[in-house]
Each structure stands twice: as C-alpha cells, then as structure tokens.
Amino acid sequence: MKKNRQKLILELISRQPVETQQQLQELLEQNGVHCTQATLSRDLHTLGLIKQTEPNGVIRYGVNPLSVEDNDQRKLLNIARMAAVSVEVAQNIIVIRTLSGHANAVGSFVDTLEQRGLVGSIAGNDTILLVMKDNETADELLQIIRELLDGTRSLP
C-alpha cells in the first residue's frame, strides 16, 4: 500500500502543479487513497520531494535536486522504482521512460551503479538514454536495471 501510495504521489505531481500537502491529500483521496497528514509528510520526505518555484512562478512539489546530487543510492532507487515506466534496449542503447519530471533522478540512480561498459547517459524530462559500449553490456545492464526496479535484486 505504501509503495502504491508513493507511486501515485509521483504520478500526481508529474501531471499537475501541486502546491500544498492539503491539495495533494485531496488528490490522493479523489484517487481512492486515504492517509493522514503525518503519513503524507513522511512520504514526501522519503521520496525527497520539496516545494520548488518554476521559472514561470508556479510553486509545486518536485524531486529535491540535492537528493539527486547527493547520490543517495537507496533514495534514488526508491524514486526509480516508482517513477520508471519502461526499460527497453535497442542494440547498444537502453531507453528508460519515466513519469514526467523524474528522468534526472532515475538517471542519477543509474549513474551510481557505475556499470562497466556505460559510455554515457542523457536525461531529459521523461526519458533517459544510456549508451553502452556494445550490445552485450547493454543486455547485462538492462537485466540489472529491471531486477533492481522490480525488487528481485538488491543493491550491493
């Protein structure tokens, strides 16, 4: 339930500006998820979400850039598990699709893996491209990422 609630929180803040915990709590309830303000506050902390002001002046919840910069691998894995939508390979390129606005956090997580054969990564708004040395290392990393995201592999 906690994981589903946190995933819904990420989905909600990626679809629309959410300015307050009260607004987020109401959106959760509209989606059939009831939680206390204290639970919601803990979820925001766990996910590393903070209020941010966008260039157009809109205030909204988003991923804390410091969480991404600190490379807290477990926190980034938690965000990646909830924000990753798909992971595909095309020869030596891995493409990861995420919820809108979460590609940098997921990309930072992949970078912390320090995988052999990773030539470089590029993260946009909702897509990450991982360029691998060859098809074999791409297939290896694809398997590792999928297992980490679905919880069948743990961090070293």
Side-chain angles (χ1 to χ4, degrees), residues 5 8-9 12-13 16 18-41 43-44 61:
R5 183 181 62 246
L8 179 58
I9 289 169
L12 290 169
I13 68 166
Q16 63 194 22
V18 176
E19 297 180 26
T20 66
Q21 284 188 17
Q22 178 65 36
Q23 181 185 5
L24 184 54
Q25 193 169 17
E26 289 170 7
L27 289 169
L28 287 168
E29 288 183 16
Q30 290 170 11
N31 285 274
V33 176
H34 304 285
C35 68
T36 65
Q37 184 277 328
T39 298
L40 181 55
S41 185
D43 285 343
L44 294 175
Y61 278 104

Side-chain angles (χ1 to χ4, degrees), residues 1-9 11 28 33 82:
M1 182 156 167
K2 176 181 175 181
K3 183 177 177 180
N4 291 338
R5 183 181 62 246
Q6 290 177 348
K7 185 170 185 148
L8 179 58
I9 289 169
E11 289 173 6
L28 287 168
V33 176
M82 289 178 265

Side-chain angles (χ1 to χ4, degrees), residues 95-112:
V95 178
I96 304 173
R97 301 282 302 177
T98 71
L99 297 172
S100 179
H102 292 84
N104 281 323
V106 176
S108 291
F109 166 70
V110 173
D111 286 342
T112 69

Side-chain angles (χ1 to χ4, degrees), residues 75-145:
K75 185 181 282 186
L76 291 172
L77 173 57
N78 191 29
I79 292 170
R81 283 182 172 156
M82 289 178 265
V85 174
S86 67
V87 183
E88 300 295 330
V89 67
Q91 295 184 1
N92 70 318
I93 297 174
I94 298 172
V95 178
I96 304 173
R97 301 282 302 177
T98 71
L99 297 172
S100 179
H102 292 84
N104 281 323
V106 176
S108 291
F109 166 70
V110 173
D111 286 342
T112 69
L113 297 176
E114 298 179 3
Q115 185 64 26
R116 131 189 117 74
L118 178 60
V119 177
S121 61
I122 301 171
N125 181 52
D126 63 359
T127 305
I128 304 150
L129 296 177
L130 305 173
V131 179
M132 302 300 293
K133 181 177 75 171
D134 54 40
N135 295 359
E136 181 182 332
T137 56
D139 290 336
E140 290 171 9
L141 182 56
L142 175 75
Q143 187 65 29
I144 290 169
I145 292 170

